[in-house]
Amino acid sequence: MIETKPIDGKAFAAGLRARIAEQVATLVRDHGVTPGLAVVLVGEDPASQVYVRNKAAQTAEAGMASFEHKLPVETSEADLLALVAKLNADPAVHGILVQLPLPAHMDANKVIAALDPAKDVDGFHVVNAGRLAVGLEALVPCTPLGCVMLLKHHLGTLAGLKAVVVGRSNIVGKPAAQLLLREDCTVTIAHSRTRDLPGTCREADILIAAVGRPEMVRGDWIKPGATVIDVGINRIAKPDGKTRLVGDVAYDEAQGIAGLITPVPGGVGPMTIACLLQNTLTAARRQAGL
């Protein structure tokens, strides 16, 4: 029986935010540059509202300028694109984040394409995705960046390890695979159509689950001693009618098999906003030529 240790993403993210705040203070003091993050929220999605509120608070705590743009759900796509163009041109804004999902009458791909890639702190623009793929300097999606930071903190070098990423989204799966390749891992991207998905997962020294299906990855899919990064955040009903948060991995089943695992909540989640702040700081430095 292996002793499974939880990875405390909350504590690591707090330390990262503290280091970012120090670097922001230095940037302000030495160069007169205050990193600015603009967050655009269209509509009243409750989960997005909570997330945007947390982003604004943590941006301010890090000593950055926070610009919030809350637009009604009936806002036209043209008006949203006009706002993006205005933020692209604003020298006080170093990072722009358009909160997804957008209302059905808007094309998210068109909106992302309208962002200045240098200000695209979500790392979703095709220019940033392409630069990441060919190994050039890029702004990288926040969640996979956080996953790799946690892995390096706990494992040291990742070179030569076999990594399996379950999920092929542009937001997590694909960029996570690219970042792991950059760390000299041998990488497999698996998904719902993978033949013998459990067998593929069992080969992984590092298993990243990012499929959005509650507890899909079972305990017997995990190689003994493997490091498991659970990106999923799923709300499921309890017998008493209330709900609880679970990941994409059956956490209780993983106990005694995985060597290290991120819990849900408290694992990958807190890293996402911390890495957003990191990307905003990086974008501000690059735009200032530093």
Side-chain angles (χ1 to χ4, degrees):
M1 190 84 158
I2 290 165
E3 186 197 347
T4 302
K5 293 182 178 168
I7 293 174
D8 190 342
K10 200 171 175 183
F12 186 90
L16 177 59
R17 292 199 311 273
R19 292 192 295 277
I20 290 166
E22 287 173 14
Q23 291 166 20
V24 168
T26 303
L27 191 62
V28 173
R29 186 189 68 225
D30 295 351
H31 302 282
V33 175
T34 301
L37 174 64
V39 178
V40 180
L41 175 64
V42 186
E44 305 285 328
D45 181 73
S48 292
Q49 285 182 320
V50 171
Y51 195 43
V52 166
R53 204 160 49 239
N54 289 342
K55 282 175 183 168
Q58 292 185 24
T59 303
E61 277 170 27
M64 298 184 182
S66 176
F67 307 98
E68 274 187 65
H69 297 269
K70 290 182 178 171
L71 307 178
V73 70
E74 62 274 9
T75 300
S76 71
E77 183 180 87
D79 284 349
L80 176 58
L81 291 169
L83 173 61
V84 167
K86 187 175 148 198
L87 296 173
N88 282 342
D90 187 343
V93 174
H94 301 96
I96 305 167
L97 182 146
V98 179
Q99 185 67 38
L100 303 177
L102 289 170
H105 66 280
M106 293 181 177
D107 180 348
N109 288 328
K110 193 189 279 188
V111 175
I112 291 165
L115 293 168
D116 177 348
K119 296 188 178 189
D120 164 40
V121 284
D122 257 338
F124 295 163
H125 194 286
V126 69
V127 168
N128 282 317
R131 290 180 69 87
L132 173 62
V134 298
L136 294 174
E137 195 177 72
L139 289 170
V140 177
C142 302
T143 301
L145 182 60
C147 293
V148 173
M149 281 185 184
L150 290 175
L151 286 167
K152 288 172 75 173
H153 177 70
H154 285 277
L155 300 177
T157 178
L158 308 183
L161 295 178
K162 182 147 194 189
V164 174
V165 180
V166 187
R168 51 181 164 177
S169 72
N170 294 332
I171 294 173
V172 181
K174 289 176 191 169
Q178 298 288 356
L179 286 169
L180 291 165
L181 275 175
R182 198 181 267 194
E183 297 297 331
D184 298 318
C185 291
T186 301
V187 182
T188 300
I189 301 181
H191 44 76
S192 59
R193 300 288 175 86
T194 298
R195 286 184 189 166
D196 188 18
L197 182 56
T200 300
C201 292
R202 268 182 225 115
E203 295 174 0
D205 303 308
I206 295 168
L207 181 60
I208 296 184
V211 280
R213 286 173 62 181
E215 299 181 332
M216 185 181 104
V217 176
R218 314 309 304 186
D220 64 0
W221 295 23
I222 298 167
K223 176 181 176 177
T227 300
V228 179
I229 303 288
D230 189 349
V231 180
I233 300 180
N234 310 287
R235 203 170 275 286
I236 61 170
K238 294 197 294 187
D240 62 5
K242 292 179 180 168
T243 61
R244 66 186 178 101
L245 285 180
V246 299
D248 290 348
V249 178
Y251 188 83
D252 292 345
E253 291 180 19
Q255 297 300 310
I257 303 171
L260 291 160
I261 187 169
T262 55
V264 177
V268 173
M271 292 298 296
T272 300
I273 295 181
C275 289
L276 174 69
L277 300 179
Q278 179 71 65
N279 276 353
T280 304
L281 174 60
T282 299
R285 281 179 173 151
R286 287 179 187 163
Q287 286 163 50
L290 300 170

